[in-house]
Amino acid sequence: MEEMKNRGVLIAGGTSGVGLAAARIFLSEGAQVVLAGRDAARGEAALRDLEGGERAFFIAADVRAPSSCDALAKEAKERMGRLDVLMNSAGVYREEAAEELTEASYAEIMDTNVKGTMFMARAALPFLRETKGNIVNVASDAGLKGNYLCSLYCASKGAVVLYTRALAIEAARFGVRVNCVAPGDVLTPMTEAQLEKAPSREEGLSAMASVYPMGRIGTAEEVAAVAYFLASPKASFVTGTCWSVDGGITA
């Protein structure tokens, strides 16, 4: 059953990882999908990978700039004719000791993870009110607990979690739902970059998986499946939640 047939879905940070995996699910359920990202070449490659035909689009945008967020939401609505779902999947990760914090690293993390999430929501909300749509933000287990040498990233994702809860209360009167997913380590390009620092990929992956009760890290598809559920009509009475998809690491 194509329960999302013809609905308009905008995925910021949709050209790889969880965002791209979610796009695949939305398309399989009949939705139209706009992928957004800074890299046009990567965006076009993602479209070829999805094989979404006339229901898949790419728009180059930088969520760190509010004007870019506004233009993206407007063009996405024009391309699809409607906007039912905003998925904020754009994010960056950085390990850094608190004593080594710089303004540059602060801007790199906060402008994408927090500012981008908030201004994309601002831009999309008028269109989501028209369709009684919803927002799914991508947070992290690091937004629920402290991680070593990761205070800045933890702060950014903690902000996403509480922003999600607060916005859900504000948007509920308009029939708009707001939720987030909090993945643990997931095998994405971001994680692969971390593994490059290990003596070997296998050793790094084994060490990463060892702290998880389920004995492994997750996949982008597993996180995307939960994000899809939250955006779907099946979650029509779910708002203001943060769903952990983390193999039990925050249990």
Side-chain angles (χ1 to χ4, degrees):
M1 180 180 69
E2 295 182 333
E3 63 184 4
M4 297 289 287
K5 189 173 178 61
N6 296 325
R7 297 195 186 191
V9 179
L10 169 56
I11 305 179
T15 59
S16 66
V18 172
L20 184 59
R24 190 168 285 108
I25 299 175
F26 281 113
L27 286 168
S28 73
E29 292 295 335
Q32 307 173 79
V33 176
V34 166
L35 307 178
R38 286 183 281 171
D39 190 321
R42 180 181 288 182
E44 295 304 323
L47 287 184
R48 290 193 296 272
D49 180 57
L50 286 173
E51 297 181 343
E54 296 180 353
R55 292 188 291 114
F57 313 89
F58 170 74
I59 299 173
D62 186 346
V63 300
R64 298 173 299 180
S67 60
S68 185
C69 294
D70 292 340
L72 171 58
K74 182 179 179 181
E75 186 175 349
K77 162 72 183 302
E78 290 173 352
R79 293 266 192 114
M80 298 184 290
R82 58 186 294 157
L83 185 59
D84 298 88
V85 178
L86 167 65
M87 182 173 175
N88 278 312
S89 188
V92 291
Y93 175 82
R94 182 186 181 97
E95 291 181 354
E96 183 177 59
E99 291 184 30
E100 297 172 359
L101 177 68
T102 65
E103 285 188 271
S105 59
Y106 180 90
E108 178 189 13
I109 295 293
M110 300 300 278
D111 282 3
T112 301
N113 297 0
V114 183
K115 184 179 178 183
T117 294
M118 297 177 76
F119 279 94
M120 273 310 312
R122 185 190 75 167
L125 277 167
F127 304 127
L128 295 174
R129 287 171 63 172
E130 294 174 359
T131 59
K132 297 192 185 305
N134 67 87
I135 298 172
V136 180
N137 296 320
V138 178
S140 169
D141 69 296
L144 302 173
K145 63 181 183 63
N147 282 355
Y148 186 65
L149 291 178
C150 205
S151 58
L152 176 59
Y153 182 75
C154 289
S156 73
K157 291 302 187 176
V160 170
V161 172
L162 281 184
Y163 175 69
T164 295
R165 296 189 186 281
L167 183 59
I169 296 170
E170 185 176 330
R173 61 192 174 123
F174 303 116
V176 175
R177 299 184 299 107
V178 188
N179 295 286
C180 68
V181 290
D185 286 305
V186 176
L187 202 56
T188 64
M190 186 184 295
T191 308
E192 292 288 0
Q194 290 177 256
L195 293 173
E196 288 178 1
K197 302 173 184 177
S200 73
R201 184 180 183 280
E202 292 70 24
E203 288 181 43
L205 192 57
S206 178
M208 191 177 286
S210 67
V211 300
Y212 287 86
M214 292 188 70
R216 65 175 178 86
I217 68 171
T219 68
E221 289 72 21
E222 287 171 321
V223 179
V226 176
Y228 172 80
F229 165 74
L230 291 172
S232 76
K234 292 177 181 176
S236 58
F237 199 53
V238 180
T239 196
T241 66
C242 181
W243 284 51
S244 294
V245 192
D246 64 9
I249 199 170
T250 57

